[in-house]
């Protein structure tokens, strides 16, 4: 067994985390899980600060973990702490914030490898920041307009095929219904004064042949999967037509690979899940990079060793 | 409304909801002033089941108690969670 221990900050049945944990296990590395939803019901912790920083241990149903033994952290959408139902709302909020900033501060102080550090993740969720970083790193980025000016939006739509995308708020719940905002083609005549209400993101509608989801790590590992659909809806937004999709591992153009690594360095990320639209001339158009997006289903569909790449990155083994 | 325990963009940029976890709401759309982009939301497409490591995208309801501030008053609510990446 290796001396290394990776703290798995993830929900117990999270698909991506299970894959990574299994890959670590195959390498003889301990993956020590801390499902934050188990605190404080099934977990406790005690930490002390000394010259070298924080020390102490967390005890869960699986056993104890000393901070000093942690060599890396895999951060994958950990879930909210679970407090007794008997707490009042102010009590629950107090307990949540104290636990969050307590654990958060201790974990983020550890001098270890992260995939990815929570602070960097927070920044990297901002799509306009993603787009600007992508442009600086040499990606082809579709023409885009972020505006609350209807005239600008109409002019943009008239200049060519345009789509609307939510910058962040993709989920709408109202009237007791839940809806999603997919990538939506926009006609100039459909744009009205309601655009003034807030910022809206418009983008050129890339006439793509297929999509690519590419997983790159800070250790310069990289796997790309081409996503094909035989329907118009699936080509426009693959999330809208999963039952039509087919998957195939694909090679990555060298300039795209360089840009991906530059992007991760620029934003300090240990992992990036990039989405591209690929056109007939072979151009890979940057759409977005989800710092914590899903990839497990692609490994399942194609056998691409994505979890192995992440495990190697957590161990400090570069490609 | 993002209750992620260790990170929230709201901590750094107080711009509002991250938009992946939102309160279940019975409020209907308004007649005027509604953000144009919201009218492009549609019912989620079905997600193919893929076994243990499933769900490229899913929408799930979570009857978890939370609260929100409405005109300086804290009100109880529940949240709907989704993963849309």
């Amino acid at each position: 067994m290796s001396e290394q221990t990776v703290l798995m900050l993830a929900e117990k049945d999270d698909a991506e985390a299970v894959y990574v944990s299994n890959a670590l296990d195959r390498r003889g590395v301990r993956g020590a899980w801390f499902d934050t939803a188990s605190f404080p019901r099934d977990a406790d912790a005690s930490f002390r600060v000394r010259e070298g920083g924080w020390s102490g241990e967390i005890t869960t149903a699986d056993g104890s973990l000393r901070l000093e033994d942690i060599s890396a952290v895999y951060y994958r959408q950990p879930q909210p702490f679970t407090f007794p139902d008997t707490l009042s709302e102010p009590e629950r909020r107090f307990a949540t914030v104290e636990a969050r900033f307590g654990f958060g501060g201790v974990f983020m102080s550890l001098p270890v490898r992260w995939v990815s550090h929570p602070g960097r993740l927070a920044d990297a969720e901002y799509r306009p920041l993603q787009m600007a970083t992508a442009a600086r790193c040499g990606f082809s980025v579709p023409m885009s307009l972020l505006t609350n000016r209807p005239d600008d939006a109409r002019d943009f739509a008239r200049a060519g095929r345009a789509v609307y995308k939510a910058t962040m708020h993709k989920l709408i719940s109202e009237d007791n219904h839940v809806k999603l905002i997919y990538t939506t083609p926009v006609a100039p005549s459909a744009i009205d004064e309601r655009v003034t209400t807030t910022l809206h993101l418009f983008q050129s509608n890339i006439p793509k042949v297929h999509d690519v989801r590419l997983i790159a790590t800070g250790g310069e590992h990289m796997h790309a999967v081409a996503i094909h659909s035989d329907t118009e809806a699936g080509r426009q937004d693959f999330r809208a037509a999963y039952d039509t999709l087919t998957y195939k591992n694909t090679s990555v153009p060298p300039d795209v690979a360089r840009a991906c690594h530059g992007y991760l360095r620029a934003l300090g990320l240990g992992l990036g899940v990039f989405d591209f639209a690929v056109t007939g001339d072979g151009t890979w158009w940057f759409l977005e990079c989800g710092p914590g997006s899903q990839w497990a289903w692609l490994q399942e569909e194609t056998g691409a060793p994505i979890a192995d790449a992440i495990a190697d990155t957590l161990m400090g083994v570069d490609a | 409304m993002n209750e992620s325990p260790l990170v929230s963009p709201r901590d750094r940029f107080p711009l509002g909801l991250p938009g992946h976890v939102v309160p279940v709401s019975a409020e209907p759309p308004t007649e005027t002033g509604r953000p144009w982009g919201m009218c492009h939301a549609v019912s989620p497409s079905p997600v193919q089941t893929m076994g243990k490591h499933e769900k490229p995208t899913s929408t799930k309801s979570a009857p978890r108690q939370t609260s929100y501030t409405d005109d300086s008053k804290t009100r109880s609510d529940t949240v709907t969670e989704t993963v849309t990446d």
Side-chain angles (χ1 to χ4, degrees):
Chain A
M1 180 65 93
S2 163
E3 293 295 312
Q4 299 192 54
T5 298
V6 174
L7 171 61
M8 306 291 296
L9 281 177
E11 195 175 10
K12 263 295 186 185
D13 62 352
D14 179 85
E16 279 74 12
V18 169
Y19 264 126
V20 171
S21 181
N22 292 341
L24 290 168
D25 193 48
R26 288 194 296 273
R27 287 158 172 74
V29 174
R30 179 189 177 201
W33 289 74
F34 177 38
D35 182 348
T36 39
S38 71
F39 181 83
R41 187 186 56 217
D42 298 317
D44 62 26
S46 190
F47 308 120
R48 297 170 192 272
V49 71
R50 297 198 169 93
E51 277 186 11
W54 287 96
S55 63
E57 68 176 18
I58 305 164
T59 301
T60 69
D62 298 332
S64 293
L65 171 64
R66 297 193 320 151
L67 292 183
E68 301 90 309
D69 294 337
I70 297 172
S71 55
V73 182
Y74 182 60
Y75 185 99
R76 165 68 195 164
Q77 298 183 358
Q79 296 300 296
F81 305 108
T82 307
F83 296 104
D85 294 338
T86 52
L87 294 191
S88 68
E89 181 53 35
E91 291 164 347
R92 192 190 71 85
R93 180 168 296 279
F94 176 86
T96 298
V97 170
E98 289 301 301
R100 175 175 158 189
F101 282 81
F103 280 116
V106 168
F107 291 150
M108 286 191 270
S109 76
L110 299 178
V112 300
R113 287 180 288 276
W114 282 84
V115 176
S116 288
H117 190 282
R120 305 295 87 73
L121 280 171
D123 290 348
E125 288 286 359
Y126 288 80
R127 183 177 274 197
L129 174 64
Q130 294 177 17
M131 294 160 67
T133 304
R136 293 185 191 117
C137 289
F139 286 112
S140 298
V141 179
M143 282 197 301
S144 304
L145 173 70
L146 184 61
T147 188
N148 77 327
R149 295 178 178 170
D151 287 344
D152 286 1
R154 272 188 288 268
D155 288 346
F156 186 86
R158 279 194 202 100
R161 297 185 341 136
V163 290
Y164 167 70
K165 300 178 174 185
T167 305
M168 185 67 184
H169 205 305
K170 300 174 181 175
L171 177 69
I172 305 297
S173 171
E174 60 186 358
D175 221 0
N176 284 319
H177 288 91
V178 173
K179 294 182 176 180
L180 283 170
I181 299 177
Y182 296 108
T183 301
T184 309
V186 174
S189 58
I191 294 169
D192 58 37
E193 292 307 301
R194 293 172 302 161
V195 166
T196 60
T197 307
T198 188
L199 287 175
H200 288 78
L201 176 62
F202 299 92
Q203 207 165 55
S204 291
N205 195 5
I206 301 299
K208 61 186 166 187
V209 177
H210 62 85
D211 287 276
V212 168
R213 179 160 280 200
L214 182 156
I215 295 87
T217 75
E220 305 211 337
H221 303 267
M222 185 170 290
H223 296 285
V225 177
I227 302 174
H228 293 266
S229 175
D230 56 7
T231 67
E232 186 64 31
R235 276 192 296 276
Q236 184 69 74
D237 188 329
F238 70 72
R239 298 170 303 163
Y242 279 113
D243 57 345
T244 72
L245 304 183
T246 56
Y247 307 93
K248 187 178 180 183
N249 291 321
T250 187
S251 57
V252 181
D255 58 329
V256 172
R258 278 193 299 275
C260 287
H261 296 316
Y263 182 98
L264 296 184
R265 282 194 299 272
L267 293 182
L269 296 170
L271 176 71
V273 181
F274 296 83
D275 284 330
F276 295 97
V278 179
T279 45
D281 62 358
T283 302
W284 288 38
W285 293 88
F286 175 94
L287 298 179
E288 64 180 312
C289 177
S293 294
Q294 292 173 291
W295 48 262
W297 101 98
L298 294 175
Q299 174 156 334
E300 185 143 310
E301 288 282 340
T302 66
I306 300 167
D308 289 301
I310 295 172
D312 283 342
T313 299
L314 288 163
M315 296 173 66
V317 179
D318 291 342
Chain B
M1 292 299 171
N2 187 340
E3 297 289 346
S4 173
L6 299 184
V7 60
S8 166
R10 197 174 46 174
D11 290 338
R12 293 163 174 241
F13 305 97
L15 293 176
L17 303 178
H20 290 240
V21 180
V22 302
V24 173
S25 174
E27 276 197 88
T30 59
E31 293 292 325
T32 58
R34 175 180 175 79
W36 178 86
M38 289 181 74
C39 291
H40 297 285
V42 297
S43 296
S45 299
V47 177
Q48 186 179 1
T49 298
M50 296 178 181
K52 183 174 176 59
H53 302 296
E54 57 183 335
K55 66 171 177 27
T57 295
S58 64
T59 302
K60 61 182 179 183
S61 293
R64 182 160 53 81
Q65 287 296 309
T66 184
S67 68
Y68 63 98
T69 303
D70 178 16
D71 195 21
S72 302
K73 295 176 183 174
T74 300
R75 303 178 189 279
S76 294
D77 205 341
T78 56
V79 295
T80 293
E81 291 180 324
T82 190
V83 179
T84 57
D85 54 5

